[in-house]
Amino acid sequence: MLLKKNNKIKRIKLNLIHHQKICYYKRSDSTLYQEKIPGYKAMWFLYYNLFGKQLLMTVVARKLTQVLYGKLMDTKWSKKMIKTFINDFNIPMDSYEKSVLQFKSFNDFFIRKKTTIELFLKFNENILCSPCDGKVLVYPSIKQIEHFYIKNHEFSFKKLINDDPNLNEFHNGSIAIIRLCPSDYHRFHFPCKGFVEKTIDISGLYYSVSPVALRKRASIFWENKRTLTKIKESPFSDYLYIEVGATCVGTIEQTYKPFSYIKRGDEKGYFKFGGSTVILIFKENTVIFDQDFIDNTIQGYETEIKVGEQIGILKK
């Protein structure tokens, strides 16, 4: 419905495809910022250089490479990377359980736990909260995102859910795509209460989910390794919770108990080192996303969001 405002364009391409700089909005001041991307030049080499593409396909995106890199990030040697990383990305450490000196490895730092997430306690159950830190795009209808082409790679809902016919009820639903940067808090939580089923693992590769890579191929979302969970009996009816792995994400860990009732804000799991993505899919006419997220998405820009922050409300 919202995309009908631009009646002259039937298929809208994301602005971020055409920008050399990766920009996003900060909700706090409605200002456009340029994102600092770790390994920016390397990303461009791997996804836009002919030799880099071959290296990406044969080595970088393969599971063995990611597992080996993950093991390296578990070593004591990797501790020396922590302070530099914190300084480079201005990460405030006063809200986490451990101090810098208490981390045993870079991965230990990467999966750091917050002491509390007070935002989850601020809202009533009809408010949809963000499950994680990141930068978000929202689409009130999946039909809308299917009209967004990225380098001739059309978004495919069926491929994203591994063509599971039992999930067709979500085909015309609403979708939020939250991209986590390496500098973000990498634990993810339940955005509302409900009954959670067992997570399904879907095998795949490990392409980067950086905008530099997504400019080239939106199919990364369903080519990559991912996990899919169905949550029932929430205020927002049943919904899907998908975690997408990426380059240097050797593991997606689930920490919740399957087939149990959960509260909003309960931890669901965490990503080990690297950028990654969380995708929420709701049934049609269930959720109304906040207007600033919708407006920014139509322009082609992500919006920075924090775990527990409001992302939408229940449609009554």
Side-chain angles (χ1 to χ4, degrees), residues 46-70:
L46 289 171
Y47 287 87
Y48 291 86
N49 177 277
L50 182 60
F51 176 72
K53 290 178 188 177
Q54 293 175 341
L55 185 65
L56 175 69
M57 291 293 295
T58 57
V59 181
V60 177
R62 299 294 169 177
K63 182 176 181 178
L64 178 61
T65 303
Q66 306 310 313
V67 170
L68 291 175
Y69 194 81

Side-chain angles (χ1 to χ4, degrees), residues 79-91:
K79 285 176 62 175
K80 60 182 69 176
M81 300 169 57
I82 296 174
K83 286 186 178 180
T84 301
F85 193 85
I86 291 171
N87 293 334
D88 285 349
F89 293 96
N90 299 314
I91 299 173

Side-chain angles (χ1 to χ4, degrees), residues 7-8 17 23 131 158 172 183 191 206 218 232 242 256 283 311:
N7 294 322
K8 295 181 180 179
I17 300 169
C23 297
K158 285 189 175 182
N172 296 325
S183 54
Y206 293 86
K232 298 181 177 180
I242 300 172
Y256 77 96
K283 292 180 181 178
I311 193 173

Side-chain angles (χ1 to χ4, degrees), residues 126-170:
N126 291 335
I127 301 296
L128 179 66
C129 295
S130 175
C132 57
D133 283 356
K135 295 179 176 66
V136 65
L137 295 168
V138 300
Y139 303 89
S141 172
I142 290 175
K143 290 179 181 177
Q144 294 169 352
I145 194 172
E146 288 178 345
H147 290 296
F148 282 71
Y149 282 78
I150 302 181
K151 292 291 183 181
N152 299 319
H153 285 266
E154 185 178 5
F155 184 90
S156 173
F157 170 75
K158 285 189 175 182
K159 291 180 180 177
L160 180 65
I161 63 168
N162 206 30
D163 205 13
D164 187 339
N166 296 318
L167 302 179
N168 285 338
E169 61 185 323
F170 296 96

Side-chain angles (χ1 to χ4, degrees), residues 275-300:
S276 31
T277 298
V278 167
I279 299 175
L280 302 177
I281 304 176
F282 298 88
K283 292 180 181 178
E284 190 174 13
N285 296 320
T286 301
V287 62
I288 301 175
F289 292 124
D290 288 2
Q291 193 62 45
D292 58 333
F293 293 136
I294 295 173
D295 291 342
N296 294 344
T297 298
I298 289 173
Q299 294 180 59

